[in-house]
C-alpha cells in the first residue's frame, strides 16, 4: 500500500500541475479526494487491516491526503490568477476621461438651513455663543420653570405633542434658557437654535419648525440693549429696515413684545400687499425682559441681574428673505422650488 501511495502522490503532482482549466482541476479533486475518490476509498479500507498496520497506514494516508489537498489548492490559485489576468487583458481599455452617462447635480443647503447659519454667524460676531437642549423635553423646562404653571391659559397658545406627560416635544426653544442658566452663573449671552413642535398647520404654520432663542443676562441689561441687538441682526439679514415692537404677552417675559419688520414686499405701504396682508408689517418673533420668576427658578437674584430674551421663527424669516408665501412649500421636497435657492 505504501508504494501505491507514493505512486498516487507523484501521479497527482503530475496531473494537477498540468491541469489546464479550473473544470479539469475540479474533476481531479473529485477523482482523488472526493466522496468516492481514490484516497477516500483507501481510507475506508483501513478497517480491514490488522490493528498495528492500521495505525501506521492511517497516519501515512492522512499525510498523503493533506499533501494532495495542498497541491490542488496551489494549482487552483494559479488558475484563478491566470483567469483574472486573461479577463483584464481581454477587457476593452477603460477611458476615465469620458463624460458620464447621467449628470449628477451638486447638493445644496436647504433655504431654512442657510438662513439659520447666517443668523448664527451674525449673533456669534457680537459675542453670543450657541447652546442646545433636547427636542424631547420635560414639562418643567418647557412650561413650569418659564413661569407657566399647570392650567395657565398661555399653555393653550402652544398646544403641543405629548409623549407621555410630563414628557413632550418642546413647543419652543425657550427651555434652553432654563438649562443654560442652571448650568452657568451670570453674565450669560447665548443663542439656542433648533427644531420645535406644535399642533399647527396652515399657510404660515407647520407642525415642526425651527426657532432661534436669544438670551442675555447681566447687571443693568435694559430693553434698549434688546432693541440694539435686534436692529443689528435684522440690518445684517435684510438690510436696514424699520422695526416695530408691539406690546404682547409671554409668561416668561415682562414687559413682552412681538417684533415686526417693515414689509419687504410693499415697503410698508400696505397697498394691496398679499405678503403682509396690507398691514405694512411682518411679525418675525417674540421678545421681552426676563421675568423675575424665571430668574428665581434658576437661583439668579432678580434684584441683582436683568436680561432680555427673544425667539424667532426661522421659516418665517426664510419666507421673508426669499419671498415665499406658503410655509409648507419648505417641506414638500419639490426640487423645482428648492433649487431656486441653491447656489
Ligand atoms: C415663542 O415661541 C416664544 N418662546 C418666543 C419668546 C422667546 C418670547 C423669548 C419672549 C422671550 P411665539 O409662539 O410667538 O413665541 O413663536 C415665536 C415665532 O415662532 C413666531 O413669531 C413665528 O415666527 C414662529 N412660529 C410660531 N409658530 C409657528 C408655526 N407653527 N410654524 C412656523 N413658525 C411658527
Amino acid at each position: 500500500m505504501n508504494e501505491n501511495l507514493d505512486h498516487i502522490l507523484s501521479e497527482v503532482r503530475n496531473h494537477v500541475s498540468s491541469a489546464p482549466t479550473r473544470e479539469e482541476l475540479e474533476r481531479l479533486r473529485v477523482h482523488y479526494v472526493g466522496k468516492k475518490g481514490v484516497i477516500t476509498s483507501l481510507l475506508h479500507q483501513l478497517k480491514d487491516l490488522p490493528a498495528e498496520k492500521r495505525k501506521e497506514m492511517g497516519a501515512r494516508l492522512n499525510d498523503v491526503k493533506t499533501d494532495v489537498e495542498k497541491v490542488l489548492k496551489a494549482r487552483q490559485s494559479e488558475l484563478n490568477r491566470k483567469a483574472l489576468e486573461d479577463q483584464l487583458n481581454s477587457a476593452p481599455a477603460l477611458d476615465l476621461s469620458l463624460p458620464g452617462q447621467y449628470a449628477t447635480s451638486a447638493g445644496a443647503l436647504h433655504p431654512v438651513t442657510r438662513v439659520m447659519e447666517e443668523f448664527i454667524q451674525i449673533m456669534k460676531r457680537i459675542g453670543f455663543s450657541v447652546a442646545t437642549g433636547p427636542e424631547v423635553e420635560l414639562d418643567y423646562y418647557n412650561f413650569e420653570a418659564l413661569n407657566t404653571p399647570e392650567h395657565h391659559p398661555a399653555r393653550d397658545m402652544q398646544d403641543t405633542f405629548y409623549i407621555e406627560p410630563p414628557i413632550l416635544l418642546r413647543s419652543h426653544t425657550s427651555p434652553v434658557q432654563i438649562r443654560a442658566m442652571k448650568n452657568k452663573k451670570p453674565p450669560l449671552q447665548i443663542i439656542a437654535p433648533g427644531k420645535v413642535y406644535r399642533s399647527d398647520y396652515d399657510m404660515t404654520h407647520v407642525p415642526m419648525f425651527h426657532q432661534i432663542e436669544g438670551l442675555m443676562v447681566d447687571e443693568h441689561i435694559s430693553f434698549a440693549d434688546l432693541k440694539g441687538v435686534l436692529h443689528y441682526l435684522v440690518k445684517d439679514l435684510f438690510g436696514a429696515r424699520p422695526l416695530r415692537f408691539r406690546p404682547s404677552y409671554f409668561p416668561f417675559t415682562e414687559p413682552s413684545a412681538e417684533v415686526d419688520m417693515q414689509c419687504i414686499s410693499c415697503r410698508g405701504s400696505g397697498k394691496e400687499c398679499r405678503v403682509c396682508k396690507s398691514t405694512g408689517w411682518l411679525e418675525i418673533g417674540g421678545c421681552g425682559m426676563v421675568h423675575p420668576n424665571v430668574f428665581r427658578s434658576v437661583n439668579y437674584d432678580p434684584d441683582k441681574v436683568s436680561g432680555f430674551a427673544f425667539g424667532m421663527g426661522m421659516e418665517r424669516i426664510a419666507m421673508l428673505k426669499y419671498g415665499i408665501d406658503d410655509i409648507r412649500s419648505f417641506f414638500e421636497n419639490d426640487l423645482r422650488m428648492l433649487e431656486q435657492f441653491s447656489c
Side-chain angles (χ1 to χ4, degrees):
M1 203 182 208
N2 250 334
E3 277 156 33
N4 196 11
L5 283 178
D6 287 341
H7 175 72
I8 288 175
L9 198 54
S10 79
E11 185 185 84
V12 171
R13 287 213 170 96
N14 281 340
H15 285 169
V16 166
S17 58
S18 59
T21 61
R22 288 188 281 189
E23 291 72 27
E24 175 59 11
L25 188 69
E26 175 59 11
R27 197 192 60 74
L28 288 172
R29 188 192 66 76
V30 173
H31 177 69
Y32 289 110
V33 288
K35 262 189 189 166
K36 292 182 185 158
V38 178
I39 297 176
T40 321
S41 17
L42 286 174
L43 279 165
H44 285 309
Q45 288 167 28
L46 281 176
K47 62 179 182 327
D48 304 327
L49 295 178
E52 69 281 9
K53 197 88 180 128
R54 194 186 314 145
K55 197 169 167 214
E56 185 201 323
M57 279 312 293
R60 173 89 179 103
L61 255 178
N62 274 328
D63 288 348
V64 169
K65 191 177 177 214
T66 311
D67 279 356
V68 168
E69 280 168 347
K70 261 192 209 151
V71 174
L72 282 165
K73 210 166 164 202
R75 182 61 183 157
Q76 194 178 30
S77 304
E78 266 172 38
L79 288 175
N80 282 348
R81 200 173 46 246
K82 190 169 170 299
L84 183 66
E85 270 166 18
D86 289 350
Q87 202 187 348
L88 288 174
N89 289 337
S90 64
L94 201 59
D95 182 352
L96 296 173
S97 69
L98 278 177
Q101 219 174 338
Y102 305 102
T104 44
S105 49
L109 292 180
H110 191 277
V112 174
T113 310
R114 287 178 50 182
V115 165
M116 286 184 86
E117 274 304 314
E118 204 179 331
F119 194 118
I120 292 169
Q121 292 314 321
I122 297 169
M123 297 304 288
K124 276 186 170 172
R125 270 205 306 275
I126 52 172
F128 285 77
S129 53
V130 174
T132 53
E135 286 169 35
V136 179
E137 189 48 287
L138 290 171
D139 182 292
Y140 171 78
Y141 290 100
N142 198 77
F143 293 124
E144 199 84 31
L146 286 165
N147 198 32
T148 319
E150 223 187 329
H151 306 307
H152 193 294
R155 286 198 180 206
D156 291 346
M157 297 188 326
Q158 295 187 3
D159 192 14
T160 188
F161 303 104
Y162 280 84
I163 309 281
E164 194 173 282
I167 301 167
L168 47 84
L169 294 184
R170 68 180 179 189
S171 58
H172 51 172
T173 41
S174 300
V176 186
Q177 288 187 33
I178 304 297
R179 291 180 176 275
M181 288 191 281
K182 279 190 178 243
N183 258 341
K184 186 183 175 299
K185 292 273 157 241
L188 201 81
Q189 205 173 331
I190 57 139
I191 47 168
K195 292 191 181 74
V196 300
Y197 304 84
R198 290 188 200 176
S199 172
D200 284 343
Y201 191 68
D202 60 33
M203 266 179 86
T204 50
H205 295 81
V206 272
M208 184 288 295
F209 60 103
H210 299 79
Q211 283 189 339
I212 294 190
E213 191 82 6
L215 172 70
M216 182 168 185
V217 184
D218 202 345
E219 289 171 11
H220 313 301
I221 297 291
S222 74
F223 210 96
D225 297 307
L226 169 61
K227 287 179 83 172
V229 166
L230 293 184
H231 271 285
Y232 177 84
L233 172 72
V234 168
K235 186 172 173 197
D236 223 311
L237 275 175
F238 293 99
R241 299 238 150 239
L243 291 184
R244 176 173 82 169
F245 291 81
R246 199 163 23 91
S248 184
Y249 175 78
F250 296 103
F252 35 93
T253 45
E254 179 60 37
S256 306
E258 303 281 357
V259 196
D260 298 339
M261 183 181 88
Q262 190 187 64
C263 177
I264 40 162
S265 178
C266 66
R267 298 201 157 257
S269 76
K271 259 191 194 157
E272 289 169 24
C273 183
R274 266 182 73 205
V275 178
C276 64
K277 299 199 182 93
S278 299
T279 61
W281 295 95
L282 295 161
E283 181 195 312
I284 55 170
C287 64
M289 300 306 293
V290 179
H291 195 289
N293 284 349
V294 174
F295 281 146
R296 286 188 193 102
S297 74
V298 295
N299 290 324
Y300 279 16
D301 183 348
D303 294 326
K304 287 202 178 124
V305 291
S306 56
F308 68 73
F310 61 82
M312 305 272 171
M314 289 302 109
E315 282 74 7
R316 296 279 181 84
I317 290 185
M319 285 168 84
L320 298 178
K321 208 164 161 67
Y322 300 120
I324 291 162
D325 56 11
D326 191 332
I327 196 171
R328 294 168 294 196
S329 52
F330 283 129
F331 302 107
E332 280 163 359
N333 283 336
D334 185 338
L335 286 181
R336 289 168 305 176
M337 184 269 183
L338 295 173
E339 271 169 358
Q340 296 172 62
F341 311 105
S342 60
C343 58

